[in-house]
Amino acid sequence: MQETADRTGLACDKGHVYPYAPGTQIPVFADAPAGSSEYSIVDAAEIHDNALRWLFATFCTDEDTLRENLISRLGLVPGQSLLVTGAGAGNDLPYIAEKMEGRGTIHAQDIASQMLLAGASRHGDALSAIGIDIRFSVCDATQLPYADRVFDAAYHYGGINLFSSVGQGIAEMNRVVKPGGKIVISDEGLAPWLLNSEIGKQLVANNHLYACQAPIALLPETARDVKLSFELHNCFYVIEFSVGDGPLPINIDVPHVGRRGGSIRKRYAGRLEGIDPALKEAVYAEAERVGESRVDFLEKALRAALRT
């Protein structure tokens, strides 16, 4: 989507106009209704700050340690372009800018304008001052307003469990990142071995999101170099993967050597209707007697039958 800016908002080449948030040049593509969650209320950022202080105190760590640990997994280098989904009040942005050494572009997105605008106010000028091209937008992470393959990496921390569709949120990050680019996603979610432990039950009773499981099954089939790990004493999952380009390099036509024979393609796509079990066993026995694989024997018999 090509966009042009004016004083009131962005207009795309299809005639859609997206207004700026009042008093800013931050486009609003989609905004959560005011009061629809704890992130879309007045003073949402300050309330979230309090929640973070509880988090770090409870898990006996500090913000610098956690955020640097997670962001380091992106392998950022100066000059890259990064998408941050669910950026909230922008707590990760200074750490990302440091990894980029003040050179590069950061697109920070959130669907709650109250949080996103607080992040822009807190960090926008400071990041611009050190050379980062920082761009904020209020939009839906499951319908990102970006073309395919435009970012070098994508990052998300602490919010994907609440997406309207977790799978679509992951798919969108995968769509907008270039092949070979890295994606890192983290949120509340106990490691499976803690779910039925006493501390696990206490955490879930305190916040039901700790019962969420890492959405590893929702990754695209082209995901490469996938890693699943846990932080905060195995209470937050971390998924890392690289964006693949095209189908997996698997040759499904390599023939098997042995009594059964065939290939992956033949065994999957070439299955026929059922026959009498006794006849099946007789066919297998005859194939073994003449020294052919079952697939070769059956294919030869079928071809012969089709010629009659």
Side-chain angles (χ1 to χ4, degrees):
M1 177 175 65
Q2 295 182 341
E3 299 169 342
T4 57
D6 61 26
R7 293 182 180 180
T8 59
L10 291 179
C12 74
D13 55 1
K14 295 182 179 179
H16 302 112
V17 177
Y18 303 97
Y20 291 135
T24 76
Q25 287 193 313
I26 296 174
V28 178
F29 298 93
D31 192 4
S36 59
S37 75
E38 62 185 272
Y39 303 104
S40 58
I41 59 177
V42 176
D43 297 328
E46 288 73 19
I47 294 170
H48 190 245
D49 290 341
N50 180 60
L52 287 175
R53 286 190 288 270
W54 174 90
L55 179 76
F56 298 127
T58 299
F59 290 97
C60 303
T61 188
D62 61 87
E63 188 165 14
D64 289 349
T65 299
L66 178 63
R67 295 192 189 278
E68 289 180 2
N69 182 350
L70 294 176
I71 292 165
S72 67
R73 302 177 191 221
L74 290 166
L76 295 172
V77 297
Q80 288 188 312
S81 177
L82 172 73
L83 170 67
V84 182
T85 64
N91 300 66
D92 286 302
L93 300 181
Y95 299 90
I96 293 169
E98 182 178 358
K99 295 294 183 184
M100 299 173 78
E101 298 179 10
R103 288 183 286 130
T105 302
I106 301 173
H107 286 247
Q109 168 277 335
D110 204 288
I111 197 170
S113 59
Q114 292 83 352
M115 291 288 287
L116 196 282
L117 295 177
S121 177
R122 291 178 179 185
H123 304 290
D125 290 343
L127 293 180
S128 295
I130 64 172
I132 292 291
D133 181 6
I134 177 70
R135 306 183 186 188
F136 296 93
S137 64
V138 181
C139 62
D140 186 346
T142 68
Q143 300 180 54
L144 292 170
Y146 301 108
D148 298 350
R149 300 182 174 188
V150 293
F151 295 102
D152 296 302
Y155 176 79
H156 177 92
Y157 170 69
I160 198 168
N161 288 337
L162 297 173
F163 278 16
S164 59
S165 171
V166 175
Q168 185 61 25
I170 295 173
E172 279 290 89
M173 282 186 272
N174 184 74
R175 178 183 67 80
V176 301
V177 172
K178 301 172 186 175
K182 191 75 173 286
I183 296 176
V184 175
I185 300 167
S186 180
D187 207 350
E188 292 107 334
L190 293 170
W193 59 88
L194 289 180
L195 280 171
N196 292 318
S197 68
E198 189 64 21
I199 187 63
K201 293 175 182 178
Q202 292 175 27
L203 285 166
V204 172
N206 181 70
N207 180 350
H208 70 93
L209 292 176
Y210 284 97
C212 294
Q213 292 292 280
I216 201 80
L218 299 179
L219 298 189
E221 65 177 81
T222 54
R224 305 286 201 270
D225 306 317
V226 178
K227 296 178 182 177
L228 172 63
S229 58
F230 294 88
E231 290 295 333
L232 296 178
H233 309 298
N234 296 320
C235 296
F236 272 63
Y237 61 78
V238 185
I239 297 173
E240 310 168 49
F241 68 95
S242 297
V243 175
D245 187 15
L248 297 176
I250 298 175
N251 186 352
I252 63 173
D253 294 309
V254 177
H256 289 280
V257 176
R259 286 193 304 169
R260 185 180 176 191
S263 63
I264 293 174
R265 187 189 304 277
K266 289 181 178 181
R267 292 182 179 186
Y268 177 74
R271 288 172 289 184
L272 298 173
E273 298 296 331
I275 61 172
D276 182 86
L279 177 59
K280 182 186 76 171
E281 294 304 321
V283 168
Y284 286 178
E286 182 64 12
E288 187 166 1
R289 187 189 70 79
V290 300
E292 294 181 354
S293 74
R294 295 168 179 175
V295 169
D296 287 345
F297 183 86
L298 285 168
E299 286 184 341
K300 185 184 297 184
L302 291 169
R303 290 192 181 101
L306 289 173
R307 286 195 296 270
T308 60

